[in-house]
């Protein structure tokens, strides 16, 4: 069974631009969560989608948004990029929207904002 | 709000020695508890989890952790370290209800294994 895939793996953007990251969950998984990982703030929860609905949202500004499609694939968008948005963005998928089930993480997208 | 504290951002052990990585959580109700490992340039891999039942949880690669409610702890151990265990380890919590799949992570512990 294929794992969680994230595209692109690496991305360089300029301050003020916007970016879209993609996550394809494991087949059959309906929940997709996104996390930001930085050396200073560690791993922080961005949001979770379950059956195309945002179910949880972390403490991030409105510049961070996401969506989930009917095939469970998810995208996250960051508008008006700031230098501080440079991070590894991880997505995780799970069969159900219950944290007792294992979440499988993708390899991440490394975003660098210059 | 739930939180996780990992004591020691860096831990160094000799190959073959005991590995002990500490994790304490703060929650009004015991949450679900997890340990993840991250190798360089990779995502996170679940080592083990505690949801309900037996408080001693065995995971992959010879790791285990014990949930101690009285101490609000979930320390990770491995009897004998191997060079391949060198990685960053994260403790995480999730609420039993209402939190969906939201994980709150600790700051991580970098494990170094020396010959």
């Amino acid at each position: 069974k294929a794992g969680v895939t994230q595209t692109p793996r690496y991305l360089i953007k300029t301050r003020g631009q916007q970016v879209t990251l993609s996550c394809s969950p494991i087949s059959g998984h309906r929940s997709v969560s996104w996390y930001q990982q930085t050396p200073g703030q560690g791993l922080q929860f961005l949001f979770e989608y379950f059956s195309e609905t945002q179910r949880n949202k972390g403490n991030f500004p409105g510049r961070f948004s996401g969506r989930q499609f009917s095939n469970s694939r998810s995208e996250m968008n960051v508008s008006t990029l700031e230098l501080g948005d440079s991070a590894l963005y991880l997505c995780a998928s799970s069969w159900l929207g219950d944290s007792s089930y294992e979440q499988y993480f993708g390899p991440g997208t490394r975003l660098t904002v210059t | 709000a739930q939180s996780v504290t990992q004591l020691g951002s860096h831990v160094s052990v000799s190959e073959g020695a005991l590995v002990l990585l500490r994790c304490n959580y703060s929650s009004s109700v015991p949450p679900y508890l997890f340990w993840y490992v991250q190798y360089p340039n990779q995502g996170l891999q679940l080592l083990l989890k505690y949801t309900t039942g037996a408080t001693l949880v065995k995971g992959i690669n010879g790791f285990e952790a014990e949930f101690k409610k009285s101490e609000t702890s979930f320390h990770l151990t491995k009897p004998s370290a191997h060079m391949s265990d060198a990685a960053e380890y994260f403790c995480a919590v999730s609420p039993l209800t209402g939190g969906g799949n939201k994980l709150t992570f600790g700051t991580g512990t970098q494990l170094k294994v020396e010959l």
Side-chain angles (χ1 to χ4, degrees):
Chain A
K1 188 185 262 189
V4 177
T5 58
Q6 292 187 246
T7 56
R9 290 292 311 278
Y10 302 90
L11 204 50
I12 300 175
K13 288 288 188 178
T14 303
R15 194 169 43 182
Q17 289 185 315
Q18 75 164 14
V19 67
T20 299
L21 311 181
S22 180
C23 172
S24 293
I26 292 172
S27 178
H29 285 192
R30 294 166 61 190
S31 169
V32 174
S33 299
W34 289 89
Y35 293 84
Q36 181 196 63
Q37 185 176 23
T38 60
Q41 299 298 318
L43 281 155
Q44 293 186 288
F45 173 80
L46 280 156
F47 28 66
E48 180 204 359
Y49 287 86
F50 182 76
S51 294
E52 302 180 65
T53 301
Q54 187 182 86
R55 201 157 65 139
N56 278 297
K57 191 176 191 305
N59 190 24
F60 279 82
R63 300 186 296 107
F64 291 81
S65 63
R67 58 178 176 169
Q68 185 179 34
F69 302 94
S70 59
N71 61 358
S72 293
R73 189 177 71 85
S74 177
E75 290 181 346
M76 68 163 282
N77 184 276
V78 187
S79 63
T80 319
L81 284 166
E82 299 177 0
L83 296 179
D85 297 332
S86 294
L88 180 67
Y89 290 88
L90 295 164
C91 85
S93 77
S94 179
W95 181 46
L96 290 178
D98 177 337
S99 58
S100 65
Y101 288 89
E102 179 171 353
Q103 292 191 59
Y104 294 82
F105 282 80
T109 293
R110 173 78 61 185
L111 172 65
T112 302
V113 182
T114 62
Chain B
Q2 298 180 322
S3 66
V4 179
T5 301
Q6 290 185 241
L7 291 175
S9 58
H10 291 81
V11 170
S12 184
V13 300
S14 300
E15 191 174 34
L18 171 72
V19 175
L20 171 60
L21 304 182
R22 300 178 186 273
C23 172
N24 288 87
Y25 67 90
S26 172
S27 175
S28 56
V29 176
Y32 293 142
L33 294 156
F34 307 82
W35 274 100
Y36 283 86
V37 62
Q38 185 177 34
Y39 297 98
N41 299 315
Q42 294 187 27
L44 302 171
Q45 181 183 15
L46 181 68
L47 282 175
L48 48 80
K49 64 178 180 180
Y50 171 77
T51 54
T52 58
T55 56
L56 182 62
V57 181
K58 295 188 184 299
I60 62 172
N61 302 337
F63 285 94
E64 62 182 37
E66 185 171 11
F67 168 61
K68 292 187 177 180
K69 183 179 177 180
S70 61
E71 299 177 8
T72 61
S73 69
F74 191 56
H75 301 332
L76 181 71
T77 61
K78 181 174 180 177
S80 177
H82 191 272
M83 295 297 289
S84 61
D85 295 327
E88 190 156 23
Y89 292 79
F90 294 92
C91 182
V93 299
S94 182
L96 268 65
T97 59
N101 275 319
K102 177 182 178 180
L103 291 169
T104 300
F105 286 91
T107 52
T109 297
Q110 187 72 45
L111 176 66
K112 182 178 180 182
V113 182
E114 299 174 316
L115 286 172

